[in-house]
Amino acid sequence: MTNPLLQDWATPFQIAPFDAISDGDFAPALDTALAEHRSEIEAIASAAEPPSFANTIEALEAAGTDLDKVLSVFFTVAGADSNPMREDLQRQFSPKLAAHFSEISSNKALFSRVNALWETRKTLGLGPEQDRVLMLTHRGFMRAGAALTGTEDARMKEIKARLAVLGTEFTQNLLADERAWFMPLAEADLEGLPEFVVDTARAAGTEKDADGPVVTLSRSLIVPFLQFSPRRDLRKTAFEAWAARGANGGQTDNRAIAAEILSLREERAKLLGYASFADFKLETEMAKTPAAVRDLLMSVWEPARAQADADAARLAEMMREDGVNDELAPWDWRYYAEKRRAAEHDLDEAELKPYFQLDRMIAASFACAERLFGLQFKPLDIPLYHPDCRAWEVTRNGEHVAVFIGDYFARGSKRSGAWCSAMRAQAKFPKPQAPIVINVCNFAKGEPALLSYDDARTLFHEFGHALHQMLSNVTYESISGTSVARDFVELPSQLYEHWLDVPEVLSEFAVHAETGAPIPSDMLQKVLDASTFDMGFQTVEYVASALVDLAFHEGPAPADPMEKQRAVLDGIGMPPAITMRHATPHFAHVFAGDGYSSGYYSYMWSEVMDADAFAAFEEAGGAFDPERASALERHILSTGGSSDAAELYIAFRGRLPGVDALLKGRGLAAE
């Protein structure tokens, strides 16, 4: 029988035929696709004709079509709907893929052809996009170690293979800890919890086959539990389990894995001639150097810590008023912050949440995209990988633009967090292809599903990434969509969050789940007034994580990452009642792969730009100013990685931004 992963997909928009694919198809399909790709690469490397852009660079761009198909399907389901077989396949595939791509990047004959083109690039008559692709291809080979020889070359291959295995183990250990733990709740333990939290806990209990409601380590459940439960003992138990993910001892403990990853990264950077892994990693980013990253983070840290310290004093006072004679602890902060928010802003999350229905927030994100970019969204009835998923065709002026898939609900088979990926990226070469884009979130189920305001912000954030993919308009897939510098990739997503705060958007789409009434104007104003509430806490937990990430990679690899984490936090004066957003054993951004290693700062680097970019709309005709929207698409959303990130931002805004707009937007600017 023909493997469905390797067939031409005669499906709507050539989307993967999920209903015809079984887990048993992945391994044989991968082996076939790897062999085919290896043959394509060998043909390019051994070609008798002198190297040209067409027979070398474009040939590389066109190679590996079946491999892309297999991996796009596999990694989609492995991340969003895992099972024991898929987890085992991940462990098998990681070293195999690492070896395959290492073999390509160390192919001396292939690198010789690429290098010859690079050295004669001024004589090739290339257009700007071709020139950019050549530069990125050559740089990629150099950074992968293509110029290494002998034992150094062999060692680089070993390092890459081992890092791939360790990243997979780290991810699966974290998923196992998140999936295994839950805390049963007696009916008396539900006292004081809003109805939406109770409903979510009961639904989680059903999923876990528990005899009653439970608290799990899903952010959409544990965070509201920590906000609302008056039971300090239960909050402590839940928080400590959440904080201990990846550090529980036994087979799922990630601490030794983190240490080995850091050591191997340092060795990899030294083999390539860099002083540190951070120097290696940041070379291709907007920031360029560890010093520039540290300067940004510390410029935000001091005002954020000052605000957090002031807030901690007020929360400790509220604790004492409750008769709790103890130090303010991490499991207390969210509870008393929520009480303070209700008192100072007269804003009750339980009262607010019915206005943020998932379906209405999806509609809001679509409506903003239509007003800004002329996009329209039509539901599609097609087989997908899980019943929770839904899909839409995206069009503009009647022309097909993309397929968008949303997978919004938390479940035990899905890793935590939220993300956007392209199952197929936009390109015009070797033939035109429209993107297939997916947003994955972890919202609590309900009838109807209700979001917190932070959940709604997450939805807009991930849809901003989706727009970056959907509106891409370049020739080559390697520079399509979100294939940009890591500290630039968060700009479109964080910028799109601003449209959630536009009063006319909330007035139209924030309607009560039961009555259908729009959010009252006074409540809407309270939401907007409270937008920077508790920002000291939020900024401190983020910046602390980013500083630890940077410290891990800018010097010698620490033998004990937990001790290094402690030293960094002590050195910056971490408030005792606040923890890192992602402590080392569950810092998947940094240890599940190289993506955000030395790069967790990039959310804040992008926020400097997104605050300034939205100000451009406000300075013009408002949030939906057509000229600014057109410029945003023309210079940023459609261009992918076809130019240097700084050049793209300057083309949109006329200049690079400073940190002032960020501090003002977070409510941390000095009076």
Coordinates of all heavy atoms in Angstrom, one line a residue, residues 193-194 196-197 218-229 353:
L193 N -14.1 29.7 44.9 CA -13.7 29.7 43.5 C -14.8 30.2 42.7 O -16.0 29.8 42.9 CB -13.2 28.3 43.1 CG -12.0 27.8 43.8 CD1 -11.7 26.3 43.3 CD2 -10.8 28.6 43.6
P194 N -14.5 31.0 41.7 CA -15.6 31.4 40.7 C -16.1 30.2 40.0 O -15.4 29.2 39.8 CB -14.9 32.4 39.8 CG -13.7 32.8 40.5 CD -13.3 31.7 41.4
F196 N -16.4 29.6 36.9 CA -15.7 29.2 35.7 C -14.5 28.3 36.1 O -14.1 27.4 35.4 CB -15.2 30.4 34.8 CG -14.1 31.2 35.3 CD1 -12.8 30.8 35.0 CD2 -14.3 32.3 36.1 CE1 -11.7 31.6 35.5 CE2 -13.2 33.1 36.5 CZ -11.9 32.7 36.2
V197 N -13.9 28.6 37.3 CA -12.8 27.8 37.8 C -13.3 26.4 38.2 O -12.7 25.4 37.9 CB -12.0 28.5 38.9 CG1 -10.9 27.6 39.4 CG2 -11.5 29.9 38.5
S218 N -2.0 22.6 33.9 CA -2.3 23.4 32.8 C -2.5 24.9 33.2 O -3.2 25.2 34.2 CB -3.7 23.0 32.1 OG -4.1 23.9 31.2
R219 N -1.8 25.8 32.6 CA -1.8 27.2 33.0 C -3.2 27.7 33.0 O -3.5 28.6 33.9 CB -0.9 28.0 32.0 CG -0.8 29.5 32.3 CD 0.1 30.2 31.4 NE 1.5 29.9 31.7 CZ 2.3 30.6 32.6 NH1 1.8 31.6 33.2 NH2 3.5 30.2 32.8
S220 N -4.1 27.3 32.1 CA -5.4 27.8 32.1 C -6.3 27.4 33.3 O -7.3 27.9 33.6 CB -6.2 27.3 30.8 OG -6.2 25.9 30.8
L221 N -5.7 26.4 34.1 CA -6.4 26.0 35.4 C -5.6 26.5 36.6 O -6.2 27.0 37.5 CB -6.7 24.5 35.4 CG -7.3 23.9 36.7 CD1 -8.5 24.7 37.1 CD2 -7.6 22.4 36.4
I222 N -4.3 26.2 36.6 CA -3.6 26.5 37.8 C -3.5 28.0 38.1 O -3.5 28.4 39.3 CB -2.2 25.8 37.8 CG1 -1.6 25.8 39.2 CG2 -1.3 26.5 36.8 CD1 -0.4 24.9 39.4
V223 N -3.4 28.8 37.1 CA -3.3 30.2 37.4 C -4.5 30.8 38.0 O -4.5 31.5 39.0 CB -2.8 31.0 36.1 CG1 -3.0 32.5 36.3 CG2 -1.4 30.7 35.7
P224 N -5.7 30.5 37.4 CA -6.9 31.0 38.1 C -7.1 30.4 39.5 O -7.7 31.1 40.4 CB -8.1 30.7 37.2 CG -7.5 29.8 36.2 CD -6.1 30.0 36.1
F225 N -6.7 29.2 39.7 CA -6.8 28.6 41.0 C -5.9 29.4 42.0 O -6.4 29.7 43.1 CB -6.4 27.1 41.0 CG -6.5 26.4 42.3 CD1 -7.7 26.0 42.8 CD2 -5.4 26.3 43.1 CE1 -7.8 25.3 44.0 CE2 -5.5 25.7 44.4 CZ -6.7 25.2 44.8
L226 N -4.7 29.7 41.6 CA -3.8 30.5 42.5 C -4.4 31.9 42.7 O -4.1 32.5 43.7 CB -2.4 30.6 41.9 CG -1.7 29.2 41.8 CD1 -0.4 29.4 41.0 CD2 -1.3 28.8 43.2
Q227 N -5.1 32.4 41.7 CA -5.7 33.7 41.9 C -6.9 33.8 42.9 O -7.1 34.7 43.6 CB -6.2 34.2 40.5 CG -5.2 34.7 39.6 CD -5.8 35.1 38.3 OE1 -6.5 34.3 37.6 NE2 -5.7 36.4 37.9
F228 N -7.7 32.7 42.9 CA -8.9 32.8 43.6 C -9.1 31.9 44.8 O -10.0 32.1 45.6 CB -10.1 32.4 42.6 CG -10.2 33.5 41.5 CD1 -9.9 33.2 40.2 CD2 -10.8 34.7 41.8 CE1 -10.0 34.2 39.2 CE2 -10.9 35.7 40.8 CZ -10.5 35.4 39.5
S229 N -8.3 30.8 45.0 CA -8.5 29.9 46.1 C -8.1 30.6 47.4 O -6.9 31.0 47.6 CB -7.7 28.6 45.9 OG -7.8 27.8 47.1
K353 N -15.0 37.6 33.0 CA -14.7 36.5 32.1 C -15.9 36.1 31.2 O -15.6 35.7 30.0 CB -14.3 35.2 32.9 CG -13.5 34.2 32.0 CD -12.7 33.2 32.9 CE -11.9 32.3 32.0 NZ -11.0 31.5 32.8

